Amino acid sequence: MSVLSLGYAYRPRSAARKVSGRSAGWARTLRRIFLVLVLLLPWVWSSYQFVRYRRAMEVRDRLLQRQEALLTRWETLTAEERVRRIVAPKGLFKPTEREILRLP
């Protein structure tokens, strides 16, 4: 027996692994949690952003459709009813081309 081996007891390899296995188990668990977070968080974040993007696009499309409908309605109003509203008080129910051209 050497002088260096007197300070600690002999442990076979399997026993040494079992003793350090508890600390290695925590390290392994923490490593797995870290890997899951590193690998999973970008996917979760990107899917969340994609859902937000789709909602924003749906709102934008609805607003564009509403604006288009209002513009179409405005064009029909300016074409017929607006002319009639301006010309009818003057007593003319069928305006001439000259009167239509003078309208703002």
Side-chain angles (χ1 to χ4, degrees):
M1 197 182 284
S2 71
V3 178
L4 291 174
S5 65
L6 289 175
Y8 54 90
Y10 169 74
R11 289 190 202 136
R13 238 183 188 183
S14 60
R17 282 187 187 163
K18 286 180 185 173
V19 171
S20 65
R22 288 185 180 164
S23 62
W26 282 106
R28 189 179 302 127
T29 305
L30 289 175
R31 189 177 302 128
R32 285 180 183 168
I33 290 171
F34 179 73
L35 281 175
V36 165
L37 288 177
V38 166
L39 295 176
L40 206 62
L41 273 177
W43 287 95
V44 170
W45 179 252
S46 62
S47 62
Y48 170 71
Q49 291 297 329
F50 180 69
V51 168
R52 283 185 61 203
Y53 171 78
R54 284 192 54 197
R55 286 183 189 157
M57 287 298 113
E58 287 173 2
V59 170
R60 179 181 165 268
D61 290 342
R62 267 190 260 127
L63 288 174
L64 284 175
Q65 287 175 355
R66 184 170 182 257
Q67 182 181 6
E68 189 176 332
L70 287 173
L71 195 63
T72 305
R73 175 112 172 98
W74 173 251
E75 287 173 356
T76 57
L77 278 175
T78 54
E80 298 173 7
E81 293 181 18
R82 187 162 178 239
V83 171
R84 287 184 186 158
R85 284 181 191 163
I86 294 173
V87 174
K90 297 178 182 176
L92 301 171
F93 294 101
K94 290 186 179 179
T96 61
E97 288 184 29
R98 233 184 243 173
E99 291 168 339
I100 291 175
L101 292 176
R102 271 192 250 146
L103 293 174

